[in-house]
Each structure stands twice: as C-alpha cells, then as structure tokens.
Amino acid sequence: MAPLGWAGASSYHELCCYGAGIAGNIFAFVLFVSPLPTFRRIVRNGSTEQFSAMPYIYSLLNCLICVWYALPFVSYGVVLVATVNTIGAAFQLAYTAVFIAYADAKKRLKVSMLLLGVFCAFGLIVYVSMAMFDHKPRQTFVGYLSVASLICMFASPLSIINLVIKTKSVEYMPFYLSLSMSLMSVSFFAYGMLLDDFFIYIPNGIGTVLGVIQLLLYAYFRKGSTDEARRPLLVTHT
C-alpha cells in the first residue's frame, strides 16, 4: 500500500495533467472556430474568391495523424490529445467541404484530389504503422510523424512574422488568435511535460516560443494595426 503522501502527490499530478490538457482543448477550440467569418463570407458571396483551401487540407492531415498517435493502438494515457484533434479534424473537413461546394470547377477538382490524397496518406500511415511495427516502435514512428507535422504547422506563422517586421504593422496577425495559439501551445507543452511525452512537449515547446514572439511583435507594432487584423490567421491567398 502506497503512503498517503505518495497517493496525494499522484492525485495532484493527475489533476495537473488533466487541467493542462483541458485548457489546451479550450484554446484549440478557439483556433478551430476562427475561420468561421471567412466561410460566412464565402457562403454569402457564393464564391471562394482568392482564398486558398491549403491551410485546412494540411490542418486536417495534421489532426488525423495526431488522433492516430493518441489512440490506444499507438499510445496510452493521452486521451485529451485525441479529443482535441478529433474535433479539429471535424472542423477542417467541414471547412474543406464548404470550400469544394463554392469553388469553381478547376479549384473544386484540385481540392477534391488533395482531400483524397490526405485520406490516402493517412490510410497508408495507419497501415504501415500497424503492419510493420510492434506497439513501442509504432509509437515512435507515428510520434515522429506527428512532431514533424506539428512543427510545420507552428512554423507557418513565420511568414506572417516576417511580414509584420517588414511592414511594421500587425494588420495580418490577429491578437486574439495569436494569444489562443500561444496559450494552447503552453497548455499542451505542460501536458506533455507532466506525462513525460517527448512527442507532445517538443513541438508545443516550439509553438510556445513562436507564439511568444508573435505576442511581443504585436505589443511592439500594434500602433500600425488596422481593423483588418480581425482576419483569421489560417486564411491565405493564392
């Protein structure tokens, strides 16, 4: 029987893990709903205009890989990673479906093929990880894929950071979106550290650093911002 002190410490540790994971889920949800104004505009105008579907296609693949990593087939005890990425995948799939519905014929075909490619790539990852690896090597294989995917996602704002420095304006770097991304990264960094899961805390540690840089730039250049700063960061133009 474990001493009461150890039991109390264990309970406190588990509480901190769940608290960090739930906070990460909440902040991630803010990120997932941030493109809604863009898609209201697409539906209202009946056209995708010059918007690109690539951020949503890529985010869908990222979410699917992270969901697979968090399932018991690959990892144990990271259920909050599974929940947030399942919700995220649903949002990205819905955004992509709306984009396909309102795109012109050329864009519709291109995005549909990319969407098919995402599901084929994910299916291949699942098949290879199940057929070629035992449980521990499988976790390592899928873990490194998720780390690479997350680092690419967190690095995507680097172009925005460069634009802010060049223009000395935060017009295209919305404060609340940057804050949510930073808080989500901090939350999942803490979650990964508490679980001692390298594949969670490394990419989110990088995301935390990039998020802090964005917030510092916002504080420095905010006087040059305009009302356009409310545009979602995930929206890019072709």
Side-chain angles (χ1 to χ4, degrees), residues 60-75 78 81-90 122 142 146:
L60 174 61
L61 179 59
N62 175 71
C63 287
L64 290 174
I65 293 173
C66 291
V67 167
W68 180 236
Y69 173 78
L71 292 178
F73 299 106
V74 179
S75 303
V78 287
V81 172
T83 57
V84 67
N85 284 286
T86 299
I87 295 169
F122 177 64
V142 180
S146 68

Side-chain angles (χ1 to χ4, degrees), residues 4-215:
L4 289 177
W6 290 3
S10 177
S11 297
Y12 179 73
H13 181 269
E14 289 179 4
L15 182 63
C16 288
C17 283
Y18 277 106
I22 290 170
N25 274 248
I26 293 170
F27 295 129
F29 184 79
V30 174
L31 290 177
F32 295 148
V33 301
S34 63
L36 283 175
T38 296
F39 283 88
R40 279 200 297 265
R41 171 176 167 176
I42 288 173
V43 173
R44 183 176 65 248
N45 295 342
S47 169
T48 58
E49 301 175 36
Q50 296 302 309
F51 290 109
S52 170
M54 289 307 297
Y56 314 105
I57 291 285
Y58 181 76
S59 294
L60 174 61
L61 179 59
N62 175 71
C63 287
L64 290 174
I65 293 173
C66 291
V67 167
W68 180 236
Y69 173 78
L71 292 178
F73 299 106
V74 179
S75 303
Y76 298 123
V78 287
V79 64
L80 291 174
V81 172
T83 57
V84 67
N85 284 286
T86 299
I87 295 169
F91 269 99
Q92 305 314 318
L93 184 58
Y95 292 144
T96 305
V98 171
F99 194 95
I100 290 172
Y102 288 93
D104 58 42
K106 185 178 178 181
K107 276 187 180 180
R108 183 179 298 118
L109 178 60
K110 179 183 177 181
V111 175
S112 297
M113 294 303 294
L114 287 170
L115 184 60
L116 179 61
V118 164
F119 286 120
C120 288
F122 177 64
L124 182 62
I125 290 169
V126 171
Y127 173 77
V128 169
S129 60
M130 291 297 289
M132 299 182 63
F133 298 99
D134 292 328
H135 193 271
K136 189 62 180 177
R138 184 184 306 139
Q139 182 183 17
T140 302
F141 171 70
V142 180
Y144 277 116
L145 287 177
S146 68
V147 166
S149 179
L150 283 165
I151 288 176
C152 289
M153 186 184 74
F154 286 131
S156 62
L158 288 175
S159 59
I160 301 295
I161 291 173
N162 184 53
L163 182 63
V164 169
I165 294 172
K166 278 186 175 181
T167 62
K168 294 181 170 51
S169 170
V170 292
E171 179 179 354
Y172 296 103
M173 191 173 70
F175 172 74
Y176 290 111
L177 197 59
S178 298
L179 179 63
S180 296
M181 181 174 288
S182 301
L183 293 174
M184 181 195 71
S185 298
V186 169
S187 299
F188 277 111
F189 173 73
Y191 185 65
M193 289 294 291
L194 289 166
L195 292 174
D196 194 26
D197 192 320
F198 168 89
F199 298 118
I200 297 177
Y201 69 72
I202 287 296
N204 284 287
I206 294 171
T208 298
V209 172
L210 292 173
V212 169
I213 290 173
Q214 288 186 66
L215 293 176

